[in-house]
Amino acid sequence: MPGTHQLIEEFAVPSDIHLGESVHVRIRRDLAFRPGCQLNGNYLVDLHVGASFRLAENYSGLSLRAANEVALRYLLEHVDGIAPDLH
């Protein structure tokens, strides 16, 4: 459905772990979101490394805080090579 998502943030940074490739992050807000028992929020996160999308991850139904945390953990894992433990 085109036009139902608002782009919040999109960027790419070079990876130190995967040489010659970039880590891409896109956070979007679903404008047609309806609250349900399985979803916590109306934000979607698309993450991938390089052009081949071989390390792609997609998340939906997140709050903005959770979406930012998922993006940060992915960047720490694939750019710096570290990721903090979850409590």
Side-chain angles (χ1 to χ4, degrees):
M1 289 185 269
T4 61
H5 294 114
Q6 175 187 16
L7 183 62
I8 302 296
E9 191 167 1
E10 182 173 23
F11 61 90
V13 293
S15 174
D16 297 331
I17 305 302
H18 310 281
L19 298 177
E21 296 185 341
S22 295
V23 178
H24 301 271
V25 175
R26 180 172 42 191
I27 300 175
R28 299 177 291 156
R29 184 168 65 114
D30 186 0
L31 299 175
F33 175 75
R34 303 249 164 133
C37 60
Q38 298 292 325
L39 302 175
N40 294 328
N42 58 341
Y43 289 90
L44 300 96
V45 180
D46 302 318
L47 308 163
H48 71 274
V49 176
S52 64
F53 291 86
R54 61 183 168 77
L55 295 173
E57 294 186 29
N58 299 312
Y59 298 91
S60 62
L62 301 173
S63 66
L64 182 57
R65 179 177 176 223
N68 286 327
E69 182 178 342
V70 165
L72 178 62
R73 287 183 185 277
Y74 195 80
L75 285 171
L76 285 172
E77 182 178 346
H78 293 283
V79 173
D80 294 331
I82 61 166
D85 293 332
L86 293 172
H87 309 21

